[in-house]
Amino acid sequence: MEKLHKILYIINDNQYVNQRELADKSGLSIGGVNGIIKELEELGYLIIEKEKRKSIYKVTEKGLKNLEKSIQKEKNKKIKMHQEINKKVTQAVILAAGKKEEFGMPIAFLDLNEKKIIDRFMDILNEHGIEKVVIVTGYKSEYYEEYSKKNKNIVLVKNDKYKWSGTMMSLSMVKDIIDDDFLLLENDMVFEERAIKEILKSKDRDCMIITSESGSGDEALVEIRDGYVYKMSKDIHQFNKIDGEMIGISKISYRVFEKMLEQFKENKNPYLNYEYMLMDIGREYKIGYKKIDDLVWSEIDSMNHYNKFIKRIYSRLLRKEQEIKINNIKQKLKDILKIEENEIEEIVPAGGMTNKNYLVKISGQEYILRMPGNGTESMINRVNEKHNSTLANELYIDTDILYFDEMTGIKISKLIENAETINAQTAKREDIMELTTSILRKLHTSELEFKNKFDVFSEIIKYEDLLKKANGKNYEDYNDIRDKVMKLEEELQNLGREIKPCHNDTVPENFIKGNENRLYLIDWEYSGSNDPMWDLAAHIIECDFSEDEEELFLQKYFQTSNIEEKYKKKILIFKICQDFLWSLWTNIKEAKGDDFGSYGIDRYNRAKENLLKL
């Protein structure tokens, strides 16, 4: 059929063409051309008239319609750029150079009740594994400069020509920072979290979020053909049909970004916006989409937009997000436990620092559902955690586990009835010390066989690698302090390291007192074979014991007032190692967007102070 249309197209252009010329222009043999002409005649696409000894070929109305369909089909053909799909995206670009004078500040710094728009952006991106956020600033850039001081995963690029340029100019300025696929966001909007979740899940490495038309009068309207974006414009008169509205959330592959930059080199219009450059690439390459009809979102271009959003839309957006989260949790519980939805009576957030925990009530029984936090898979071995926590339960020091998926990290455990979580203050009470030291001694002398070994010096090397991958930074004198810390390994060997089953994260909040004064030790994520003095050192520094309180705690644990000096020295060494390690952990988390305030530097400085005591 392709050869047939090729001959018909040439004839349509010149009805006086002869068969030799047809053969030359089409690349076919004269015999092949002769056969195709006969077929075209039989199909009614062509009639042949004789003028003297010369043939004149005339394309019929039927032939013209068929040729039109063929050309249109060719026009709709697009190239699939990538064979690899579902590539993990860890970078994002926020275009934030624009000026809106009536606000007196960048739009991203407007308040959303308890936080600012930029905080919401960063929370959502961090939640979904975005490790590097490049923000292109312009108007009032000092706001972002101050903000980035507390967010180590933010990289700023300033567009000094923001008054006289469009968004493509801003996007082009990140070319030396972005080195892989990325999310592209506009800063003047607030949207549901699921928009980011859905676009990251899309198999198309180049795609955009579209929704139903908002009717704002300034929509970037979209037409879809053959499953890909065909046309985009703010002019409604250009469309045969409208399939939705682009809202300013896209996923861009690095190869498409390179093509956008290449075309932009020839640009003579500084006011060009990136979405139209993307559509230029889309003439030849497939640009996908994800349509979310009922997405709650709002563009904020004016004070009127902002006030309307705060008064009418934001509360609805938050309710929708919470509803979706609860429904997702319900679905997980139904799938995991093979129960009906009506058996799930209650789901309530229950906090969590590394993970997200929920109190769930199923058929009258209460449980804790743990949903692992983003990025924890690189720091925690869930297979080891499951093995160790199962043994701890058998030892009667942890609560019953209903479900544990070592692949996802999802865990469901029985809620401790009448639970009292120990804190740094209550941990100083003598009666509580009796309980905590008793349960630690029971663990350390149990001879449980943990599969893994927790070695702080190996952990330091692992965390350093994770920090490097997250593009994080260490403290100025880090290398000098590191040398001193790593030399402590030899000191520990000389003192004699005992390897026993250990919890390794004995913060007071991991001790829960239940009925009949029974104490539980929960959260075995960092557990492994180690020197028991590590657990004692961790509890002492996390509870901020005074010297007298530490002395009492050790007497309770060793059941004697005569504590050998080697144990005291090992505890001091492990205090140093823990402060050093967790300051490094904090730098990793902050490089990925979390904010721990002075937690990391405080622990680092305490490690340096304790080094002077050795």
Side-chain angles (χ1 to χ4, degrees), residues 63-225:
L64 285 172
K65 286 182 179 179
N66 189 272
L67 189 58
E68 182 183 339
K69 286 181 182 178
S70 171
I71 291 171
Q72 189 62 47
K73 188 176 179 181
E74 286 297 316
K75 279 174 62 178
N76 290 340
K77 282 185 178 179
K78 296 181 186 293
I79 301 168
K80 182 179 179 181
M81 183 174 289
H82 308 285
Q83 297 304 313
E84 179 188 3
I85 60 174
N86 296 329
K87 180 177 172 64
K88 185 177 181 181
V89 175
T90 60
Q91 302 179 87
V93 174
I94 301 175
L95 301 177
K99 179 180 180 182
K100 299 290 181 184
E101 284 189 336
E102 66 178 307
F103 295 116
M105 65 178 74
I107 290 172
F109 287 86
L110 294 175
D111 287 328
L112 292 177
N113 298 335
E114 77 289 355
K115 61 175 68 174
K116 298 185 183 301
I117 292 175
I118 184 63
D119 296 323
R120 181 176 168 84
F121 264 98
M122 295 304 299
D123 289 347
I124 292 173
L125 292 175
N126 293 336
E127 177 69 21
H128 291 280
I130 302 301
E131 298 173 359
K132 179 165 70 176
V133 180
V134 184
I135 304 178
V136 185
T137 70
Y139 174 65
K140 299 276 188 178
S141 61
E142 62 271 18
Y143 277 80
Y144 287 103
E145 289 161 10
E146 185 64 28
Y147 187 78
S148 66
K149 291 176 183 178
K150 297 180 180 180
N151 292 268
K152 295 180 181 179
N153 63 334
I154 291 178
V155 181
L156 299 181
V157 179
K158 188 174 180 180
N159 179 2
D160 290 316
K161 296 183 178 181
Y162 69 91
K163 294 179 182 178
W164 309 285
S165 60
T167 55
M168 187 60 213
M169 174 73 79
S170 290
L171 180 57
S172 70
M173 299 179 75
V174 308
K175 64 181 184 298
D176 295 326
I177 302 170
I178 289 295
D179 54 11
D180 207 342
D181 295 9
F182 62 97
L183 292 181
L184 179 58
L185 310 172
E186 299 175 27
N187 82 312
D188 58 349
M189 59 178 178
V190 183
F191 50 86
E192 282 183 66
E193 177 187 357
R194 65 175 166 144
I196 298 300
K197 180 180 179 180
E198 291 299 324
I199 201 167
L200 288 173
K201 280 170 49 180
S202 172
K203 62 180 177 59
D204 295 311
R205 287 175 59 183
D206 299 286
C207 59
M208 61 183 67
I209 293 289
I210 67 172
T211 68
S212 299
E213 302 159 65
S214 65
S216 68
D218 190 42
E219 310 102 314
L221 302 172
V222 173
E223 181 180 343
I224 304 298
R225 289 191 188 177

Side-chain angles (χ1 to χ4, degrees), residues 16-37:
Y16 298 105
V17 69
N18 60 45
Q19 290 194 14
R20 181 170 293 282
E21 289 170 329
L22 282 169
D24 290 341
K25 289 183 178 182
S26 66
L28 301 171
S29 67
I30 293 176
V33 168
N34 185 51
I36 289 172
I37 288 174

